[in-house]
Amino acid sequence: MDSTISGSATITSPSFRCFDPTNSFPDIVPNHKRYIFSNSLPNSTPRENSKATMGISINSEPKVVAGPAGYVLEDVPHLSDYIPDLPTHPNPLQDNPSYSVVKQYFVNVGDTVAEKIVVHRSSPRGTHFRRAGPRQKVYFESDEVYACIVTCGGLCPGLNTVIREIVCGLYDMYGVHRVLGIEGGYRGFYARNTIPLTPKVVNNIHKRGGTILGTSRGGHETSKIVDSIQDRGINQVYIIGGDGTQKGASVIFEEIRRRGLKVAVAGIPKTIDNDIPVIDKSFGFDTAVEEAQRAINAAHVEAESFENGIGVVKLMGRYSGFIAMYATLASRDVDCCLIPESPFYLEGRGGLLEYIEKRLKENGHMVIVIAEGAGQDLLSESMRSLHRQDASGNKLLQDVGLWLSQKIKDYFAKRQKLTINLKYIDPTYMIRAVPSNASDNVYCTLLAHSAIHGAMAGYTGFTIGPVNGRHAYIPFNRVIERQNKVVITDRMWARLLSSTNQPSFVDPNSKHFLGDQKEEDTTSQSLEAHNGPKENNNV
């Protein structure tokens, strides 16, 4: 992670301000207003002198509020933190007939969501995040809002659904009729065309894979992006992307705050690998696991149909093996699952090749699932690209699936005891490009609506996501500080080992087993929270 990108505002208690909605903006500039206050923003300078880029820290601190019994609220910024005396307005939802049947539609102003749900009787209350949802008072009038949406990074099932639901949610819930689509990722703010988005334009896009806005990696130039936002009069920015994208969104927010602009920045986390921390899971993950079943089933059919058949399936997972793990557990046809978090070795007693030979002798066939980031340390130096990165800053990886397949072939060719039939399947781009399934479609809708409610309520500089089943507003710094990984000392990995009957390939005394696994409760996030409380591992 880029340590120069940080978030911050002096530690204060949350400001729950209910202003007189009859007040109006003085000297309102249509669609956009710029506020500069030297006492609250001592480093403010005119836009022309701004040099902010992703490599420059704005030196802001997280909003943290402590309470009794160990209660900690990691709050998100609010427009009123740096623009004083902002008027509020009644939420248009109170007159929306669709929501009149709801007993209590507006979220209580002090509602928070606990990060850790399993505690002991004497445990402190712990870290909380502000609960997402509509507020009774909003900081934007409907005809004042000019929103934009941008998608960045790689493809993921559900991108079009999120776009659709942001547009339709703004139109249907808040009466916002001006929404702009930014084409081609971050560089689209200053180098590409834009698309006016209406419910008619986005009506059927959720049935298609990819993103109608296009996407790209890199292209983040903070000053140019914020210049474009300011010049266009945009005052709500919805940014959809992974950890690198959220890192960029954090810097955009900091520059917007530095300039004193009334612009809400909302991030919607997207990563098919499910490696964003804090939240229960990322959208598109369920679809990816479901689609991975097709590849695993094909590999199983091929392997079972030939004598000594081996099916090798490479799935996504650059740093985290969640797709491989859950696809393996769902399939029950996999004999071995290899992920980045669990090191393995090939040669010698207890190695992978010996295990493959054993399983072939026992069953006559075998299916291996390997995540793309697994075994990279085993590739020869000439094959590795340790110091090469893509435009998003991700390490470029070699095709470990092809490498492993060749190693298996070479091993059995030398031994001349078994003739194998190996089939290698890489469904990566097929999985990324499909439309989202029913579960992800519903999830994307909730994410989009929660982001809209937060922006309209004046919150900014936040990412939205479910924490223990409840949607919450999470500060940018929490979702970019690390990556979520499978914990191989957790029960979920033990369930996988039990399902496949594979050895762990790890020395229990090694640093891989004992090192970073101490943070099991906070790093595992094995998605059980999505369906209910996590199990107490002491039981």
Side-chain angles (χ1 to χ4, degrees), residues 302-409:
E302 288 284 348
E304 201 174 31
S305 300
F306 292 90
E307 183 180 6
N308 297 321
I310 300 175
V312 177
V313 180
K314 187 188 78 172
L315 297 177
M316 286 162 290
R318 184 181 297 273
Y319 304 108
S320 304
F322 285 105
I323 292 178
M325 180 173 72
Y326 276 81
T328 294
L329 278 168
S331 170
R332 302 289 172 172
D333 287 330
V334 178
D335 298 284
C336 184
C337 177
L338 305 170
I339 62 173
E341 297 88 338
S342 182
F344 65 93
Y345 56 98
L346 292 176
E347 307 284 351
R349 186 173 182 180
L352 177 62
L353 296 175
E354 181 186 79
Y355 173 67
I356 294 173
E357 185 175 0
K358 176 185 174 184
R359 290 308 293 252
L360 287 178
K361 289 177 180 178
E362 291 174 349
N363 297 336
H365 66 277
M366 184 175 187
V367 175
I368 302 170
V369 168
I370 183 167
E372 62 180 321
Q376 291 291 321
D377 56 323
L378 299 178
L379 274 65
S380 66
E381 188 67 33
S382 62
M383 294 181 65
R384 280 192 275 174
S385 304
L386 293 179
H387 305 296
R388 294 178 59 199
Q389 297 179 333
D390 63 19
S392 294
N394 298 311
K395 183 172 66 176
L396 291 176
L397 303 179
Q398 296 294 330
D399 193 329
V400 71
L402 281 174
W403 171 82
L404 178 62
S405 299
Q406 190 59 51
K407 286 290 184 181
I408 295 171
K409 292 177 182 178

Side-chain angles (χ1 to χ4, degrees), residues 67-325:
Y71 174 89
V72 176
L73 171 63
E74 294 195 12
D75 206 356
V76 296
H78 194 276
L79 292 173
S80 61
D81 292 342
Y82 64 93
I83 305 177
D85 302 323
L86 275 177
T88 60
H89 313 277
N91 194 321
L93 282 171
Q94 67 185 22
D95 301 318
N96 191 317
S98 298
Y99 297 95
S100 61
V101 298
V102 182
K103 187 175 181 180
Q104 183 184 353
Y105 188 69
F106 296 113
V107 173
N108 291 325
V109 83
D111 283 358
T112 59
V113 179
E115 180 179 19
K116 187 176 180 182
I117 197 170
V118 178
V119 296
H120 297 291
R121 183 182 301 176
S122 59
S123 299
R125 292 178 64 189
T127 300
H128 289 64
F129 302 103
R130 188 166 296 283
R131 184 184 176 189
R135 267 60 178 176
Q136 286 185 314
K137 300 291 184 180
V138 295
Y139 283 75
F140 293 93
E141 291 188 281
S142 299
D143 57 0
E144 170 196 3
V145 175
Y146 190 18
C148 74
I149 306 170
V150 63
T151 54
C152 306
L155 294 182
C156 177
L159 282 169
N160 278 334
T161 306
V162 174
I163 295 169
R164 182 189 189 278
E165 296 310 318
I166 291 175
V167 174
C168 293
L170 285 168
Y171 267 69
D172 298 336
M173 294 190 296
Y174 287 99
V176 173
H177 294 161
R178 293 187 302 161
V179 185
L180 196 64
I182 306 297
E183 288 191 303
Y186 275 136
R187 61 172 52 89
F189 277 100
Y190 54 85
R192 295 290 297 273
N193 295 327
T194 57
I195 308 173
L197 298 176
T198 65
K200 185 175 181 180
V201 171
V202 301
N203 185 43
N204 290 311
I205 64 172
H206 63 292
K207 300 174 184 177
R208 296 153 46 187
T211 164
I212 63 164
L213 299 180
T215 185
S216 67
R217 299 188 184 276
H220 190 288
E221 295 189 41
T222 308
S223 292
K224 288 184 178 181
I225 291 171
V226 180
D227 287 350
S228 175
I229 291 170
Q230 187 172 349
D231 292 341
R232 295 176 188 273
I234 292 168
N235 51 23
Q236 289 186 9
V237 182
Y238 297 92
I239 300 174
I240 310 168
D243 59 342
T245 300
Q246 301 303 312
K247 196 181 299 183
S250 174
V251 181
I252 291 172
F253 156 70
E254 294 290 0
E255 173 64 7
I256 284 172
R257 175 161 64 177
R258 193 193 66 78
R259 297 188 189 186
L261 306 178
K262 187 191 175 188
V263 179
V265 180
I268 299 173
K270 174 234 65 170
T271 167
I272 202 169
D273 293 344
N274 193 50
D275 59 3
I276 290 182
V278 182
I279 65 175
D280 295 343
K281 67 174 179 179
S282 307
F283 75 82
F285 177 74
D286 279 354
T287 304
V289 172
E290 185 176 303
E291 287 297 313
Q293 300 300 294
R294 303 177 189 273
I296 293 173
N297 183 60
H300 182 249
V301 170
E302 288 284 348
E304 201 174 31
S305 300
F306 292 90
E307 183 180 6
N308 297 321
I310 300 175
V312 177
V313 180
K314 187 188 78 172
L315 297 177
M316 286 162 290
R318 184 181 297 273
Y319 304 108
S320 304
F322 285 105
I323 292 178
M325 180 173 72

